């Protein structure tokens, strides 16, 4: 049975916010007369989120809970929700109440005016300053390295259902929902929404996770690191040849009497560092090729409500 709207919510350690999130969703969607379902994907956060989801699903048959067999990450959990959805449109939002559920009808209405993808964007973010600064830098780099990527992307979106369900066909062990969507459609726009403060706990994205996620995006969706490595190799070679010519000329002109230890060590360390950098970049790509050929599933469902 096809529905008007599916709401997909990846959950990680959010037992405290789920009841409030559910109530706000119901209060905002029921007056619209849209037929809808709520798909909650629990990504094995280790708290009692699954018990809360199960209780809500018992009270309301429009709520479907899915628990993955282990932690696969937010993007894998989101794609899992897409695969189980039945909606003509699919809305996604986080589980921390920073994104207002009351704005979903407005995003759906905008989508119905002829767009495939609507992002809820924030005029001002409530994250910590370091998070806002690093996010801005990362988005600028993404835009330069991946020109097709919509640099205004957020996890608060409404997507045409048939497009969202196609994401499960991408065979990559490092999923990035918005990278896939940028490849599938360019009929997208934005709606400004407030970015509310987190009510419970703190963000599950640590600096380490953010850096890892950024590297995965660069290596998976762009060949910029390889091009940088190529140009670094060309530059290092040019500098080496120039330095060699300088040494030969000085030798021929009698300008060299005793070899300099400092200059030799500086040259060895510099060119050795360039070589290790290039090898590291090649290793990142080779490692991803190995992961891809292993045919590991993107996610595995452990149980359902």
């Amino acid at each position: 049975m096809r529905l008007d709207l599916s709401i997909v919510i990846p959950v990680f350690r959010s037992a405290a916010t789920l009841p409030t999130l559910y109530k706000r969703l119901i209060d905002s969607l029921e007056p619209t007369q849209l037929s809808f379902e709520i798909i909650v994907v629990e990504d094995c956060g280790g708290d009692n989120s699954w018990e809360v989801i199960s209780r809500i699903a018992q009270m309301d048959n429009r709520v479907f809970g899915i628990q993955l067999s282990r932690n696969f990450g937010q993007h894998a959990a989101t794609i899992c929700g897409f695969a189980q959805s039945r909606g003509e449109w699919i809305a996604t939002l986080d589980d921390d109440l920073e994104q207002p559920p009351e704005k979903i009808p407005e995003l759906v209405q905008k989508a119905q005016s002829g767009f495939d993808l609507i992002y809820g964007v924030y005029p001002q973010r409530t994250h910590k300053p370091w998070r806002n600064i690093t996010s801005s830098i990362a988005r600028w780099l993404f835009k330069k390295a991946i020109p097709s990527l919509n640099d205004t992307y957020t996890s608060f979106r409404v997507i045409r259902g048939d497009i969202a369900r196609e994401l499960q066909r991408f065979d990559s062990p490092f999923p990035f929902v918005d990278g896939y969507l940028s490849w599938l459609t360019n009929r997208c726009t934005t709606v400004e929404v407030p970015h509310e403060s987190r009510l419970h706990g703190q963000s599950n994205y640590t600096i380490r996770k953010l850096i890892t996620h950024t590297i995965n995006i660069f290596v998976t969706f762009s060949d910029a690191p390889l091009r940088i490595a190529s140009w670094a190799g060309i530059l290092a070679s040019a500098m080496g040849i120039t330095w060699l010519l300088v040494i030969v000329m000085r030798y021929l002109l009698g300008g060299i009497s005793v070899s300099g230890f400092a200059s030799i060590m500086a040259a060895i360390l510099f060119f050795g560092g360039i070589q290790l950098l290039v090898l590291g970049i090649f290793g990142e790509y080779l490692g991803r090729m190995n992961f891809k050929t292993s045919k590991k599933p993107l996610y595995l469902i452990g149980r359902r409500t």
Side-chain angles (χ1 to χ4, degrees):
M1 178 182 174
R2 185 65 66 193
L3 301 172
D4 294 324
L5 179 65
S6 297
I7 299 96
V8 174
I9 308 170
V11 170
F12 187 80
R13 296 178 184 171
S14 294
T17 61
L18 285 173
T20 305
L21 176 58
Y22 164 73
K23 184 178 186 305
R24 288 177 61 179
L25 276 170
I26 297 301
D27 291 344
S28 60
L29 292 174
E30 283 186 339
T32 65
Q33 303 302 311
L34 292 170
S35 59
F36 65 89
E37 63 181 354
I38 301 173
I39 301 173
V40 188
V41 184
E42 205 273 310
D43 197 22
C44 290
D47 64 351
N48 64 328
S49 293
W50 178 248
E51 287 72 19
V52 176
I53 295 169
S54 299
R55 287 198 300 269
I56 295 173
Q58 288 177 351
M59 295 186 300
D60 189 340
N61 60 10
R62 295 170 297 186
V63 178
F64 300 91
I66 298 170
Q67 186 180 52
L68 301 183
S69 61
R70 67 168 183 82
N71 178 250
F72 286 92
Q74 180 184 12
H75 290 263
T78 301
I79 293 174
C80 173
F82 291 165
Q84 310 301 316
S85 67
R86 298 176 293 158
E88 180 182 357
W89 297 96
I90 298 177
T92 67
L93 74 163
D94 292 340
D95 54 359
D96 53 15
L97 292 175
E98 290 184 0
Q99 300 160 340
E102 294 80 9
K103 288 292 184 177
I104 290 178
E106 183 178 343
L107 268 64
V108 173
Q109 185 178 13
K110 185 72 173 179
Q112 291 172 338
S113 64
F115 296 97
D116 295 333
L117 172 62
I118 311 294
Y119 283 112
V121 298
Y122 320 117
Q124 186 173 2
R125 294 174 179 265
T126 59
H127 291 144
K128 293 179 179 179
W130 70 265
R131 175 82 179 271
N132 291 331
I133 292 171
T134 53
S135 293
S136 299
I137 294 172
R139 287 170 186 273
W140 182 83
L141 292 172
F142 292 158
K143 190 61 178 177
K144 295 297 181 183
I146 316 169
S148 62
L149 179 65
N150 186 340
D151 61 346
T152 59
Y153 70 87
T154 70
S155 56
F156 192 28
R157 20 172 143 72
V158 168
I159 317 161
R160 211 178 77 201
D162 55 346
I163 290 178
R165 283 182 280 273
E166 287 297 310
L167 266 64
Q168 62 186 307
R169 296 177 58 185
F170 282 86
D171 184 20
S172 171
F174 303 98
F176 177 41
V177 169
D178 301 289
Y180 295 159
L181 291 173
S182 296
W183 191 83
L184 290 174
T185 182
N186 57 8
R187 296 172 59 191
C188 61
T189 189
T190 61
V191 172
E192 285 195 355
V193 299
H195 193 222
E196 300 179 354
S197 299
R198 178 184 290 268
L199 297 179
H200 300 279
Q202 58 185 3
S203 174
N204 293 307
Y205 273 103
T206 61
I207 294 178
R208 177 176 173 272
K209 288 183 178 180
L210 289 171
I211 293 173
T212 301
H213 183 56
T214 300
I215 292 173
N216 286 337
I217 293 173
F218 268 113
V219 177
T220 304
F221 291 90
S222 173
D223 62 351
L226 285 175
R227 286 187 275 119
I228 291 172
S230 297
W231 282 107
I234 292 171
L235 178 62
S237 297
M239 292 177 64
I241 292 171
T242 303
W243 183 243
L244 176 62
L245 293 174
V246 170
I247 291 174
V248 170
M249 291 299 296
R250 289 183 64 190
Y251 177 78
L252 293 176
L253 296 173
I256 296 179
S257 57
V258 179
S259 300
F261 175 78
S263 60
I264 292 174
M265 289 304 299
I268 291 174
L269 292 174
F270 175 75
F271 293 114
I274 292 291
Q275 290 173 345
L276 290 175
L277 171 65
V278 173
L279 287 174
I281 292 173
F282 287 168
E284 288 287 338
Y285 281 92
L286 287 173
R288 278 154 177 75
M289 291 172 62
N290 178 56
F291 278 119
K292 188 175 177 63
T293 56
S294 67
K295 297 294 182 182
K296 294 177 182 177
L298 179 60
Y299 61 83
L300 183 65
I301 295 175
R303 50 182 171 174
R304 311 166 186 256
T305 55

